[in-house]
Amino acid sequence: MAIYEIRTYTLYVGKMAEATELYQKHGFPALEAGGHDKKLVGYFQGDTGMINQLTHIWKFHDDADRRGHWAAVFLSLIHISEPTRQAEIS
């Protein structure tokens, strides 16, 4: 049985355009480069109701698949930020 993970983020009013632009320029390309986009069903924003919310849905085979996915994503983030952190230390 598949597991769907729904993540909903509430943004400050008026920040949706900025958040969408950052995701398009940096977020999705980073997921795609690491091969982490394959489990993404989609990113959604409403046009009525809570219009300052951004929701993304992920599909996993089971809980182990979900945990392994997020561990790999966060490990990738650590590797991406390491050169920057090393430069700051030097």
Side-chain angles (χ1 to χ4, degrees), residues 1-2 12 16-17 22 27 31 42 47 50 55 61 63 65 67 72 74-75 78 83 89:
M1 170 187 265
Y12 288 110
M16 183 61 75
L22 284 170
L31 287 171
D47 59 358
M50 296 292 290
T55 300
H61 298 295
D63 189 54
D65 183 34
R67 290 174 183 270
F74 290 115
L75 185 61
I78 290 169
I89 295 170

Side-chain angles (χ1 to χ4, degrees), residues 28 31-32 34-41 58-59 69:
F28 188 75
L31 287 171
E32 195 172 35
H36 304 299
D37 61 318
K38 294 173 180 47
K39 297 181 185 295
L40 177 64
V41 174
W58 300 82
K59 181 180 179 182
H69 170 79

